[in-house]
Amino acid sequence: MMNLSKSLRILHIRKAKKKAGLPPGSLVHIGKERRDNVSVHVIRYNDQESKNIETENIPEAIRSIDNNCINWYMIDGVHDISIIKHFGDILELEPMWLEDILNTDHRPKVEFNNKNIFITLKLLSVTRKEIESEQVSLILGDGYVLSFTEKKISEFNYVRDKIINNRGQIRQRKADYLFYVLIDAIVDHYFFADEFISDKIETLEENIYSDDQDFYMNLIQSLKKDMIITRKAIYPLRDALDKLVNEDSFLIHKDNYKYISDIDDHILHLAESFDSNREVVADLENLHQSFISNKLNEVMKILTVMSSIFIPLTFITSLYGMNFKFMPELGWSYGYLMVWGYIVLISGSLLWYFKRQKWF
Amino acid sequence: MMNLSKSLRILHIRKAKKKAGLPPGSLVHIGKERRDNVSVHVIRYNDQESKNIETENIPEAIRSIDNNCINWYMIDGVHDISIIKHFGDILELEPMWLEDILNTDHRPKVEFNNKNIFITLKLLSVTRKEIESEQVSLILGDGYVLSFTEKKISEFNYVRDKIINNRGQIRQRKADYLFYVLIDAIVDHYFFADEFISDKIETLEENIYSDDQDFYMNLIQSLKKDMIITRKAIYPLRDALDKLVNEDSFLIHKDNYKYISDIDDHILHLAESFDSNREVVADLENLHQSFISNKLNEVMKILTVMSSIFIPLTFITSLYGMNFKFMPELGWSYGYLMVWGYIVLISGSLLWYFKRQKWF
Amino acid sequence: MMNLSKSLRILHIRKAKKKAGLPPGSLVHIGKERRDNVSVHVIRYNDQESKNIETENIPEAIRSIDNNCINWYMIDGVHDISIIKHFGDILELEPMWLEDILNTDHRPKVEFNNKNIFITLKLLSVTRKEIESEQVSLILGDGYVLSFTEKKISEFNYVRDKIINNRGQIRQRKADYLFYVLIDAIVDHYFFADEFISDKIETLEENIYSDDQDFYMNLIQSLKKDMIITRKAIYPLRDALDKLVNEDSFLIHKDNYKYISDIDDHILHLAESFDSNREVVADLENLHQSFISNKLNEVMKILTVMSSIFIPLTFITSLYGMNFKFMPELGWSYGYLMVWGYIVLISGSLLWYFKRQKWF
Amino acid sequence: MMNLSKSLRILHIRKAKKKAGLPPGSLVHIGKERRDNVSVHVIRYNDQESKNIETENIPEAIRSIDNNCINWYMIDGVHDISIIKHFGDILELEPMWLEDILNTDHRPKVEFNNKNIFITLKLLSVTRKEIESEQVSLILGDGYVLSFTEKKISEFNYVRDKIINNRGQIRQRKADYLFYVLIDAIVDHYFFADEFISDKIETLEENIYSDDQDFYMNLIQSLKKDMIITRKAIYPLRDALDKLVNEDSFLIHKDNYKYISDIDDHILHLAESFDSNREVVADLENLHQSFISNKLNEVMKILTVMSSIFIPLTFITSLYGMNFKFMPELGWSYGYLMVWGYIVLISGSLLWYFKRQKWF
Amino acid sequence: MMNLSKSLRILHIRKAKKKAGLPPGSLVHIGKERRDNVSVHVIRYNDQESKNIETENIPEAIRSIDNNCINWYMIDGVHDISIIKHFGDILELEPMWLEDILNTDHRPKVEFNNKNIFITLKLLSVTRKEIESEQVSLILGDGYVLSFTEKKISEFNYVRDKIINNRGQIRQRKADYLFYVLIDAIVDHYFFADEFISDKIETLEENIYSDDQDFYMNLIQSLKKDMIITRKAIYPLRDALDKLVNEDSFLIHKDNYKYISDIDDHILHLAESFDSNREVVADLENLHQSFISNKLNEVMKILTVMSSIFIPLTFITSLYGMNFKFMPELGWSYGYLMVWGYIVLISGSLLWYFKRQKWF
């Protein structure tokens, strides 16, 4: 049986156990325990050139921000607290944000101060059987972007390759455009999740009249789980992006707000599609319920027809099976024929009755 | 079985596959693959004269905007990206709008800049069995209107004929009036969809007490699909038109806002009618559920009456069918009559009991 | 069977057929076809005198507005487009309003311009079996009130008689007071509809435990229809009156706003009563559903008790009805008594079991 | 059977019958017909002295307002229209308010003018079996408070005794404090209604698994009725008190707004408690529905076990009850034993099957 | 059976009985009767030193506020009214707040005056079987914090130990930071409740397909109770904290608002998690309902298959059990074989039919 609430639960326990009693701003990693190494890449580029350095000496790498370039620090893995702390200390980030980066169960949100814009959102990835949700946090500063992901994600590698190979317009643009491109890469993936849910709904639809109840129930349970995960990614992001569009930050060039607006539009579209899907699922559940009721009716009709016809007949035959000495009918020459007459009469009139009731 | 989510699904897949990873503003056609040629008509008119040219050399046609006339570019088919691009380049339209025109799955919306008003909305057409939704996009500029449709639509041809034949007041008015007339032509069609849904509801109503369950279920499923498509056309348009009414654009003459207001009024009316329909459908579903429950009760009552009467009787006859050597009753002269006495007594009292319970 | 959506449907079809393709402001009568003549009465009054003229020459009657009197044009019937047009032309009314007057399916609303106030609302009349809805439109101008009704309505005749006979304070007041009195006469009638619905609910309540399912189902279906009609009259009017209260028009004297406020209060009360009724109906439907479920349980218990007792007994008697040569029990002297012992034992213990389960 | 909508209905009929057609501000008593005399008490007090006069000459009593005292006019009974009229005429109260005082079905509300504050609210009283609602109206003026109740209510007598005996701080305070104390006395009583509903819910809870369906259904029906009455008292009052808190009237001393705020707090608390109760009731209804479904399952299992075991057995015994001449088994020595073997085998394997299915 | 509404009920009764008729601001303890002594601790600290005094002479302790220190008065137990009164009198607190402190059933809220900030909220503690709710009230003043709890709570002792042992940054900060730390300690505990509910949901999920209906029903009932208690703690606190964040009080240093914001964020997260849980529970209830329906179908299928096959067969055997003198078949040599042929034919075709219907 699938486990609708398990994934959520694990995070909650850890959070409660690890955080309770600590002062605010204490950095604790909350989420799935990971063993893989955290890798930090620095991608430096301008319209002339681009470099991609995998660095070991992280403080050094952070301090050497090149003001003639856009500096993208790509941190894959957030379970090494010391690395997050280096960034926080050297770039003077809000301690609360660091906490949120480490808490991979955090809801999507956007925050501002006078130096940075912070956004945390969910990457939805579709596996063969379900939708999975990962935390991605981005910080935009003057000339740099920091990206924190739970593990390496191919979408960001793809953006990096485009920078290195100078495809698209990223190299010609500023850090705010990179910030936008990264958010867009994540939100574009939501359409896969939306499609995956639509596919599951279609499978559900094809099976609402099926007799394999276990299959139906597992399917609807896993679908509901996918929908909860998707909703938790999409709905708070809608509010967060509204905040981003309406806030006026010097970090984002006025002309680039239309790109953010466009992502906002996508999210709105996704949210509407999601609402439609929710309604379709509710309708299908109703139809399935009606189907079950109808089937019960069918079953009961068969039972009723069979019983109503043969129980009275058996009574008659049983009647003439009695062993009384004085039963005149038993001696009649046409007694047996008379019984058959009864049988035909009774079963015939009952069949006619059930036919008239449109039972078959 | 009808396929409630299929049409939506197809679009999502394509969108996800085609768009993911492209820079913003990249033009990709999203929607049903079409093979028919894209045709571009230019209708030029003023109160004196009118021309209708089907053009091949599109850039030329666009550049030759005649300032003494209203120029209506009627583009039937949006799957030829190059044509859309010509309009975008020459008339300096927002790249995002071109993207939205190509995405035939886009939700209705209105957008402004200081040169144009852009609206995208759905044309609902009623086939014999279901409601279909097509994308229509309109751009109003100074002296021109662009209309982008997925295929030729008769409503716009009808407007064109009125211009050519100088019926109605279009020829006497400016581009904003044409813009209004085109929106009105589309919204007027929503009443057909509304009527179609009302008809289906009536058919549903006539069949909630029918025994043809398959028919009922297919009907309700197709009705729900129609309602989702209609709602997706009407509800976002309500917000979009509100925006249009409240925005103050030099492109629309102050006196003509009342026309937009009137369309807004229609949409409000449609939305209310839609809400009523939704409620009626929910009520009918409840009634059907009650009907099914009642029928089960009826079936069970018949079974119970038949079984309750004949099973005890069969027990009695079966009793005197036993072969014991010493069964005094078997020898009695009135033994058989006694059994008939029991039969009359038992069946009579049970019938009286069921009658008193008002079972029949 | 009652037809929940029929009345609504008819209007939609006509609207769609007649209106599609016409320019805005085209006057088309939408609603039930009527054959009776349209009558136009002019009631002229001031605190001194009053006149009631049934007029044939309508343009003349309109032009002869007497500035020393309040002029009430009472138009009974809206299917003669030419009459409506005369008023529109001579009094320079908004063309959109004329369209709304003719569309008897229009939702209640209030509109202003700098010369007139326009209100359209529903008159609910209670017949023996159902609630019917008619369109009433009122226009308040400087010194005159126009009232457009689908047919003669007794409420307005009653107001006219009061003017002629100088009862109440209408003669002492201005046109705005007449405007208020007419709206009040209509809204007062809503209480009859509210009462009618309450009565139906009471009948429903008395029959939720009845066995006449058809009666129950027809009742609930007709009740739902009444409630939809009532809601469509009350809910939009609430918003419309709010608009009227908050708008500041020179046509309504400041002191008279409290009267409008009072109607608003009534509508609020009606809307709350309506919401309560809706909740009561939902509760009753739930109770009925529970009742049906319980009844099924009762039926099944009887079947189960009868079957569970007599089927095993029949097995025993049938056992000793076998014709084997070697069945020792058949020869026993007390064999028959033994069977009776079994019968008493089995039926007794089953009865005791069902008793303990509180089945009867 | 209890009558969920009856009490509401009676009022509506009367309202409709009496009011329709009367001019606004016409005073008509709407509500239960009462025969008891209306009594008017005048309580005059300041920090020095207090008087309680039952008066006959009402106009005289009203005119003799003592400016050195707080004057509380306590009118028990609102069905004598002439008395209400005296107050309205002499104190120049809004005519609309007098109408609302007489309409004992009016929803709670607060209104202001530049001389008075008017509040009308519901007194909920708990009888042995149900909650009853009465109308109380209060008018605060400069130096006086008017209280209108449908009949004598003990809560106000209690306040009067406190004034006479100079208990509490009322004597030291102004009219606004008395106004607050009277509202508080009514709202405090809502907690009894809340408690009464909680008690009924507890009784319901103890009986959701009971077999006495009639008891359960009557209980839930009466509970729903109580909840509708309570909600109609609490919810509109919440809005009314918000209006009172936010309005700035010279009649209420700035320091005393905190008392009004406190009542507002109580109402908020009551509304939340009410919402919780509503949810609990919905949950209990669901549980009851599940219980009924489960019970049906249990009943059907018993029927199925009994039938499935004994019907095949009876077939076998019936088989050997046939009277064919040539039935070899009948002559076998162990034929009878063989049948018993079949019986044990069949019943054993069916019992094992049902056991494995965990049916008992 | 668990008692969903009991705990709420007890408080209501007491409130109604004790409070009705008392003047506002009267101090009455409302809640569970407690017998344990109330203890008052004074924790005085600054960055230099810290003292923890358990005091008997409470007025003395209150008056001796040390202005060089942060003074934390930790009152464990609110049932001793005199102690609460001392604080109210000496520190000139709002009388209404004292009332709210004593009413342990009060909903969470925040209030301000120009000297103090008052917050009352719920501590949720998780026992082995259910969630319990206790009232905690905090008052922040200039240089002091008062904490009122129903009984000693370990969370506050833990904070005290940190102060004494100078762990964390509390000693270096002002009273507003202590105020924040105490609220944070309580809200952090909500995650345990959230986790507890998630665990119960998981248990529920593992048992929705179980046959132990009693277990399932008790589980869902206790889960619903936990959710109501949790919701009553979380939802009003969200509004209260919003008020705290938006209000600008000199008592909280501008830099510390971000901490309050962080708690607000946690509450938002909890509310969303709670909403998800609610949805999951609703889905599980639906699945359970489907499961019950399916099981009924299974049971009925077995009954129908068994009855439909054996009842006709028994009719045939019973037919040849009749004792007519003239029944030709009885004398046939292959008569018995013929019956077996019927049996095989009938049962075979019925089995084939049921197989085709996919009944097993």
Side-chain angles (χ1 to χ4, degrees), chain C residues 84-98:
Chain C
I84 310 292
K85 241 177 119 51
H86 284 311
F87 281 98
D89 292 347
I90 299 167
L91 298 174
E92 290 169 352
L93 306 171
E94 293 280 339
M96 296 293 184
W97 294 351
L98 303 182

Side-chain angles (χ1 to χ4, degrees), chain C residues 17 37 45 60 89 100 109 115 129-130 132 138 153 225 262 284 315 333-334 338:
Chain C
K17 295 225 173 104
N37 272 329
Y45 66 89
E60 174 59 33
D89 292 347
D100 294 340
K109 70 168 180 180
K115 285 183 49 212
K129 292 185 102 176
E130 57 182 3
E132 276 170 12
L138 301 172
I153 61 173
K225 190 185 167 188
D262 190 53
L284 288 175
F315 160 69
S333 314
Y334 294 102
M338 180 191 69

Side-chain angles (χ1 to χ4, degrees), chain E residues 124-220:
Chain E
L124 297 181
S125 50
V126 177
T127 69
R128 213 172 52 80
K129 292 186 101 174
E130 55 182 5
I131 293 172
E132 277 170 10
S133 170
E134 270 169 74
Q135 178 90 352
V136 175
S137 304
L138 301 173
I139 292 175
L140 171 65
D142 193 12
Y144 62 89
V145 170
L146 312 182
S147 72
F148 301 88
T149 55
E150 289 187 65
K151 56 179 189 194
K152 281 195 180 70
I153 60 172
S154 55
E155 287 71 22
F156 282 9
N157 288 340
Y158 183 75
V159 173
R160 186 180 55 188
D161 293 349
K162 282 174 73 176
I163 293 172
I164 301 299
N165 302 323
N166 199 2
R167 277 188 280 116
Q169 5 173 3
I170 308 175
R171 286 267 290 273
Q172 280 72 44
R173 304 276 201 128
K174 296 290 175 204
D176 57 347
Y177 189 76
L178 176 62
F179 185 66
Y180 153 71
V181 165
L182 293 176
I183 297 173
D184 192 53
I186 291 162
V187 171
D188 263 8
H189 252 65
Y190 291 0
F191 287 96
F192 287 112
D194 187 48
E195 169 205 347
F196 182 74
I197 286 172
S198 293
D199 279 350
K200 266 200 183 164
I201 289 175
E202 200 182 4
T203 313
L204 185 72
E205 200 184 354
E206 280 159 7
N207 286 284
I208 47 164
Y209 299 144
S210 115
D211 289 276
D212 189 347
Q213 287 300 323
D214 287 353
F215 177 76
Y216 172 84
M217 291 227 165
N218 282 338
L219 187 60
I220 210 161

Side-chain angles (χ1 to χ4, degrees), chain E residues 10-11 14 29-34 79 104 132-133 150:
Chain E
I10 292 167
L11 302 180
R14 281 222 189 91
H29 174 248
I30 293 162
K32 272 178 268 174
E33 298 276 345
R34 294 186 181 276
H79 46 282
T104 60
E132 277 170 10
S133 170
E150 289 187 65

Side-chain angles (χ1 to χ4, degrees), chain B residues 162 180 194 199 202 205 209 265 268-269 272 279 283 290 294 297 300 318 322-323 325 329, chain C residues 1-4 9 12 24 107 109 213 217 224 231 292 296 300 317 320-323 330 336:
Chain B
K162 284 175 71 176
Y180 152 72
D194 188 47
D199 279 350
E202 202 181 0
E205 200 183 354
Y209 300 143
D265 226 51
L268 225 68
H269 181 87
E272 264 186 27
E279 215 171 289
D283 285 345
S290 286
N294 277 323
N297 268 11
M300 295 320 296
S318 174
M322 291 194 297
N323 294 322
K325 270 197 184 121
E329 294 96 328
Chain C
M1 197 140 308
M2 307 205 56
N3 224 330
L4 190 48
R9 194 180 61 86
H12 290 158
R107 56 192 295 273
K109 70 168 180 180
Q213 288 301 321
M217 289 225 166
K224 292 273 167 106
R231 202 200 50 197
I292 294 287
L296 182 60
M300 294 320 296
T317 56
Y320 293 110
M322 291 193 299
N323 295 322
L330 295 182
Y336 183 48

